[in-house]
Amino acid sequence: MFVLDRNHRPLQPTSPARARKLLRQGRAVVARHTPFVIRLKDRTADQSQVDGVELGIDPGSKHTGIAVFTTRNGNRSGLYAIALAHRGSRIRDALTRRAAYRRGRRTRNLRHRRPRFSNRTRPKAWLAPSLRHRVDTTTSWTARLARWAPVRTVHVERVTFDTHLLSSGEPPAGVDHQRGTLYGTEVRAYLLTKWGKACAYCGATGVPLNIDHIHPRARGGSDRISNLCTACVPCNESKSNRPVEGFLRQAPQRLALVLAQAEAPLHDAAAVNATHWALWRTLDAAFPTVRAASGSRTKWNRLRTGTPKSHTLDALCVGELRAVDRIPERVIVVTATGRGSYSRTRTDKHGFPRLRLPRQKQFFGFQTGDLARAAVPRGKNAGTHTGRIAVRAGGSFDIKTTHGLVRGVRHTRFRLLQRADGYAYAHRTEGPTPSA
């Protein structure tokens, strides 16, 4: 648990049991509900021993893992883990939809609106809004953690995929022929992510996987990443140098999936490559010590220490380390939801207004996205419900809990726990997370 002193300065994190004891004794108060932060009433940072913590960041296109840990003699002990889910794809879809609406209105027999493409300028190091979102959310959460914990060093995974080498299919040049301990893990890591850590031919998971050529090299196939897939040992040996069309002749649906997945674009890898330098520059300006490491190093550390695969555990293994003594048992899942829309009009499929929303966002002291607890004494919704709420002007709110959606709860039954901050929170046990 994160701890602040009486002046809101960060102290060394403590255990949940000690946090509960301090709250029972009246020595601390709750400063924030999620993530849980307490503030001491009788101690300052000058009166406390603060050793400091370190952050590990495993950036991804869809999910980013953040780990808070301490280091002693090269051994890391995980204290806190955050799985940050981005909404870059939704931003991209919204901008594409808006552009389609504007283009459609411009070409219809309506009031003429001249194109304004030539009067727009982009600053240096400009990123698309969907990519900028990934950088901003990651740096925002590192800044939040720095307010709640004494962060001394940040370790960030800066290099993940070389899309040029992944797609060119040509042999490497220069010093690429020097194959060290980490050689080959970039391509293999990408293929495991692309094929979901399963055999492309039979769908088996949890078994050893080989890298196989979909179109065999003996029949003219190349080493391009689009011609590679993961295959279990029986399928790899059974297929041999046969064409994939002949090998999966009895499974046409599986054949169609393999061929479609093989041509999948490198969107996720391109998004990571486009943002890793911007993320590095932002973190380097915000923290005194920022260290970078490659994805190959992270995987090597994870395999060497026997740490399971997940975004948060990858963040724990970023950079140089000797061993991992402890991993967090629970992970807080933070999903970027946004703070609503500036647009107060909803459109139909043709882009014309069909519904106008009220200008007011707050009703009866609540707004959509607030974290609240509802105590309903009787009726079909009887019980205590905790989660994010959706408000209505009539005073009948909906609340989304971990067990489902509860509709039609009066506003008088709610107690505010935390104001909406643009994120939804959930908890899960440590384990595998979605790819990218």
Side-chain angles (χ1 to χ4, degrees):
M1 297 296 176
F2 298 117
V3 184
L4 305 177
D5 72 350
R6 60 186 302 176
N7 299 322
H8 299 270
R9 291 186 296 177
L11 300 177
Q12 198 71 12
T14 187
S15 64
R18 180 163 177 79
R20 290 192 296 267
K21 182 178 179 180
L22 292 172
L23 291 172
R24 284 197 304 267
Q25 294 175 348
R27 297 179 55 194
V29 294
V30 177
R32 182 182 173 89
H33 185 276
T34 306
F36 195 75
V37 184
I38 64 173
R39 180 174 59 85
L40 298 180
K41 298 190 295 184
D42 57 354
R43 184 180 297 180
T44 62
D46 299 332
Q47 302 169 339
S48 307
Q49 179 180 351
V50 182
D51 299 327
V53 300
E54 300 181 14
L55 294 184
I57 303 175
D58 175 38
S61 172
K62 300 175 183 176
H63 303 84
T64 292
I66 304 177
V68 182
F69 55 87
T70 58
T71 303
R72 177 173 297 179
N73 298 327
N75 293 6
R76 293 183 178 179
S77 297
L79 303 177
Y80 208 82
I82 295 177
L84 179 59
H86 302 297
R87 62 186 187 101
S89 59
R90 282 181 288 168
I91 294 176
R92 178 201 61 205
D93 295 341
L95 292 177
T96 303
R97 186 165 54 250
R98 185 185 69 177
Y101 288 154
R102 291 179 174 179
R103 189 179 303 111
R105 291 196 297 265
R106 189 179 295 116
T107 56
R108 294 191 188 102
N109 188 19
L110 301 172
R111 175 181 59 85
H112 179 64
R113 181 173 181 266
R114 296 181 58 187
R116 296 183 295 172
F117 304 140
S118 59
N119 66 345
R120 307 292 177 90
T121 59
R122 293 175 177 175
K124 188 179 180 180
W126 176 87
L127 287 174
S130 59
L131 300 178
R132 172 54 59 182
H133 159 78
R134 294 175 172 92
V135 177
D136 290 344
T137 51
T138 304
T139 54
S140 172
W141 271 96
T142 55
R144 290 186 180 200
L145 292 174
R147 293 199 301 266
W148 302 328
V151 178
R152 301 290 188 257
T153 306
V154 176
H155 304 267
V156 59
E157 185 179 294
R158 192 170 61 179
V159 179
T160 305
F161 303 114
D162 187 339
T163 55
H164 178 70
L165 290 178
L166 290 175
S167 60
S168 64
E170 298 180 358
V175 298
D176 292 341
H177 68 280
Q178 298 175 356
R179 303 182 178 184
T181 306
L182 307 179
Y183 173 79
T185 55
E186 299 286 3
V187 172
R188 183 174 181 84
Y190 175 78
L191 290 175
L192 289 173
T193 300
K194 180 178 180 180
W195 296 95
K197 303 181 182 65
C199 176
Y201 302 132
C202 67
T205 59
V207 297
L209 298 174
N210 296 334
I211 297 179
D212 184 58
H213 292 76
I214 299 174
H215 185 57
R217 292 187 63 184
R219 297 176 179 269
S222 68
D223 289 331
R224 294 186 60 178
I225 197 70
S226 60
N227 192 44
L228 300 178
C229 69
T230 55
C232 62
V233 176
C235 287
N236 192 16
E237 294 178 349
S238 177
K239 179 177 178 290
S240 185
N241 64 345
R242 287 191 290 168
V244 66
E245 293 81 3
F247 178 63
L248 296 178
R249 183 178 302 164
Q250 304 298 326
Q253 294 182 349
R254 172 65 65 174
L255 174 61
L257 290 175
V258 170
L259 295 178
Q261 181 71 2
E263 297 299 329
L266 303 174
H267 287 166
D268 293 331
V272 173
N273 281 0
T275 56
H276 73 272
W277 275 114
L279 178 61
W280 164 262
R281 286 191 291 265
T282 305
L283 293 175
D284 189 48
F287 294 91
T289 305
V290 180
R291 298 172 182 171
S294 69
S296 301
R297 179 82 191 193
T298 301
K299 180 180 179 181
W300 186 66
N301 289 336
R302 181 169 50 80
L303 296 178
R304 182 171 54 87
T305 58
T307 306
K309 167 66 177 176
S310 73
H311 280 292
T312 50
L313 293 181
D314 277 356
L316 183 60
C317 295
V318 171
E320 297 183 5
L321 62 92
R322 179 181 299 175
V324 176
D325 295 337
R326 177 181 178 273
I327 62 175
E329 297 180 357
R330 293 183 62 81
V331 177
I332 178 171
V333 182
V334 180
T335 304
T337 59
R339 298 177 180 269
S341 173
Y342 286 107
S343 174
R344 298 287 87 191
T345 303
R346 294 293 180 264
T347 60
D348 58 15
K349 64 179 181 179
H350 303 291
F352 291 97
R354 65 173 180 84
L355 176 65
R356 301 189 184 278
L357 301 180
R359 293 286 181 179
Q360 180 182 353
K361 286 190 175 184
Q362 192 172 98
F363 296 96
F364 304 99
F366 300 93
Q367 69 178 16
T368 297
D370 285 346
L371 183 64
R373 179 176 290 125
V376 183
R378 57 184 178 273
K380 64 177 182 179
N381 295 327
T384 302
H385 313 283
T386 303
R388 298 176 70 243
I389 63 175
V391 302
R392 292 191 180 91
S396 181
F397 298 168
D398 298 341
I399 180 170
K400 186 177 182 180
T401 68
T402 55
H403 305 289
L405 182 65
V406 180
R407 298 181 179 274
V409 180
R410 292 299 301 174
H411 66 91
T412 55
R413 303 297 183 185
F414 284 94
R415 182 170 68 89
L416 181 66
L417 300 178
Q418 184 171 292
R419 285 293 183 188
D421 60 353
Y423 298 93
Y425 300 95
H427 293 83
R428 62 168 174 81
T429 57
E430 182 60 86
T433 55
S435 60

